[in-house]
Amino acid sequence: MNHGTTRPPADRTAPRAARRVTARLRRTAADTVARLAGDRSDRSGSPATATTRAARGTTTAPTAHDGTTAAPTPRGAATARAARAATAVLALALLATACSGGGDGGGDRPDGHGMEYKAGTLRVLASSELADMGPVLDEAAKATGVTVRPTYAGTLDAVERIASGEADKGYDAVWLSSDDYLRLRPDTARKITDETPIMTSPVALGVRPATVARLGWNPAKVTWSQLHRAVADGKLTYGMTDPKRSNSGFSALVSVASGLSGAQSALTEQDVTRATPRLKEFFTGQKLTSGSSGWLATAYARRTDVDALVNYESVLLSAPEKLTVIRPSDGVVTADYPFTLLTSARPEAKAAADRLTTYLRTPDVQRRITETTLRRPVVAGVRPASALARDQRRELPFPGSRAVADGLLDAYDNTLRRPSRTVYVLDTSGSMGGERLDRLKSALAELTGDFRDREEVTLMPFGSSVKQGEVRTHTVDPASPKAALDAIRADSRRLSASGGTAVYSSLQEAYRFLGKAPSDTFTSVVLMTDGENTDGDPASAFDAFYRSLPAEQQRTPVFPILFGDSDRGELDHIAALTGGKLFDATQGSLDGAFEEIRGYQ
């Protein structure tokens, strides 16, 4: 099966085990036990987090037809957290998930458990953007007899499943935008084998044509320094996904750090330090953040004050709005989509994977892939789709060590990017009493580990109205972050359940509290409710209130969490009206939903 480059794991210092693995397994166990006891308010399973980028090991890379390298160069990774769970908790979590129901688009459970191996079927943990490969895979099944059953997940979530042993029980292969994060960690690097690149797509900027004309740019010659200068001069704004949760976001972060530092080899701490003043200027132009490319594109379409998007070339070319795609002339970072076997896969699964990847790399299928997905072929002699520019780009250097990569991610979160300002509108009505309130308190306590330096966090509990005496705001001071985090945990523990459910009136209070959002913050509202609106203003009053807000305030989205007996239709409407996104804690856990929202704040 090794049609591409099979790379041995890099010899690195073992990183800390992921704290999120432990948290997800612990809550899976707790949620499943609660459900079996009859509580239908919160079902087990963890929603897939968005992808995150990681370090590459040094390799010899094949070259794609357009001149970009199809296989990667050294790369860096997101920070993992220390695991605290006991073996008994892990065993309980795995047992609990095996007992529960649910499913994804492929008809199987989203966490992979309960998916028995079937001859001729490959159970694959895949990046969500690969959903567009469905028609190609349908044709592959007819031609090879191999059916792919995908379960879509983010790169970080896939890494956690592999590290914990979950993936060994439910999957035969992984197919992500990159295997970088897997190769970074010894506990996952030894569990993968036979990486076969299928296609490539570089990270690029999609810019509104009017902006390109205003700036007088030749798209084929724009450099990272030109992009930085335009942002610093206040002439260019953009949206980008969260580097800790999205492969395209992390690739963009490394791209601009490499481009602005002038690094000719793997990024070093000195390179990042040298580039930091210009990186700070560059990220003042980021007006949108997101945990997923899909929501980012939707949010961008609503905004007239955002000029560009940073994402994969294929995503930008497929956007509903025509964008001028710019691959900076001084270099790009490229996803190579390797189809990768797990070492635990059965011999017959390995044989099936070999048939599948051989088929996907035939010239005819490579042409079909590039024409339908607008990704670039990896087989010599196959020309990219006509929409793809043919001029070559070099692959930009990534950090040469985990420490450099982690430092870059930490700097982005806590120093470079705009700070966040969020109001958590929390249902503490009478129906939240008991176990539901306990879960909310636990979720908020877990969430404090994700709050960034300079972040402003407001807890706004409500019942029949906002409980004004319990509204608290804390800002995470970089000099002493523990003080604010401890205070948020203490405020969470004091929450109590009483009263009715005034959803719409409380949302209006949140917008009034935020006022006109400062232009240098990412501002949002998170709504958690377990029931329908029973008190205060109706939905129509909130709609009228929202539409009366100045345009600047209307750019603050609401991210509702579906929980307990809350009304999906009501919450969907709130998300659609405000440009937010609904998160479902009835298909996952409450703390999992809160955590997933972090990519959008």
Side-chain angles (χ1 to χ4, degrees), residues 346-404:
R346 301 178 182 219
E348 52 267 46
K350 296 179 180 180
D354 186 62
R355 295 200 305 276
L356 175 68
T357 54
T358 297
Y359 172 81
L360 293 176
R361 289 171 62 92
T362 57
D364 284 347
V365 178
Q366 287 279 294
R367 279 188 282 272
R368 169 99 158 101
I369 289 173
T370 190
E371 293 293 341
T372 57
T373 72
L374 297 178
R375 298 187 185 97
R376 294 173 179 263
V378 294
V379 173
V382 178
R383 298 176 67 83
S386 58
L388 300 169
R390 305 296 173 84
D391 48 332
Q392 298 184 358
R393 295 290 184 270
R394 78 181 181 99
E395 189 74 8
L396 285 173
F398 262 60
S401 72
R402 173 100 188 268
V404 175

Side-chain angles (χ1 to χ4, degrees), residues 531-543:
E532 300 178 18
N533 186 67
T534 62
D535 291 70
D537 286 341
S540 57
F542 174 71
D543 289 6

Side-chain angles (χ1 to χ4, degrees), residues 409-432:
L409 282 164
D410 184 71
Y412 173 82
D413 246 10
N414 298 303
T415 304
L416 301 175
R417 58 162 268 160
R418 296 170 182 269
S420 299
R421 189 173 180 227
T422 307
V423 177
Y424 288 86
V425 180
L426 306 172
D427 185 347
T428 55
S429 60
S431 63
M432 280 290 294

Side-chain angles (χ1 to χ4, degrees), residues 136-336:
V136 175
L137 294 176
D138 288 343
E139 294 170 1
K142 296 175 184 176
T144 66
V146 178
T147 299
V148 172
R149 286 184 108 176
T151 298
Y152 297 116
T155 299
L156 180 59
D157 187 57
V159 171
E160 292 172 352
R161 296 185 193 198
I162 294 169
S164 69
E166 281 188 77
D168 290 342
K169 299 177 183 299
Y171 301 100
D172 308 299
V174 293
W175 194 7
L176 307 173
S177 54
S178 167
D179 282 352
D180 303 338
Y181 203 80
L182 298 178
R183 288 193 303 273
L184 176 72
R185 295 174 49 164
D187 57 347
T188 54
R190 64 173 177 263
K191 293 191 175 191
I192 61 173
T193 185
D194 289 350
E195 304 170 59
T196 305
I198 303 299
M199 54 206 167
T200 69
S201 193
V203 169
L205 279 87
V207 188
R208 288 189 165 114
T211 302
V212 175
R214 170 168 54 82
L215 293 171
W217 281 347
N218 177 346
K221 297 182 178 180
V222 176
T223 65
W224 286 108
S225 291
Q226 281 181 279
L227 293 168
H228 157 258
R229 190 70 264 153
V231 171
D233 291 343
K235 297 178 180 179
L236 181 70
T237 58
Y238 61 92
M240 187 182 94
T241 54
D242 184 343
K244 282 195 171 181
R245 290 164 173 83
S246 164
N247 184 49
S248 65
F250 188 75
S251 297
L253 174 61
V254 174
S255 296
V256 68
S258 298
L260 296 183
S261 71
Q264 297 301 308
S265 57
L267 275 172
T268 64
E269 291 181 7
Q270 291 75 19
D271 292 327
V272 175
T273 299
R274 183 167 58 251
T276 291
R278 289 199 290 170
L279 286 171
K280 285 183 178 180
E281 290 179 330
F282 183 80
F283 285 110
T284 62
Q286 186 183 359
K287 295 283 190 178
L288 282 172
T289 186
S290 170
S292 70
S293 297
W295 184 86
L296 185 70
T298 300
Y300 173 73
R302 293 171 60 102
R303 299 281 292 264
T304 58
D305 63 325
V306 182
D307 302 310
L309 282 178
V310 184
N311 214 306
Y312 294 122
E313 176 188 50
S314 59
V315 174
L316 298 172
L317 288 171
S318 302
E321 180 180 355
K322 181 176 175 55
L323 300 173
T324 299
V325 175
I326 294 175
R327 294 172 300 136
S329 60
D330 45 352
V332 296
V333 171
T334 306
D336 63 344

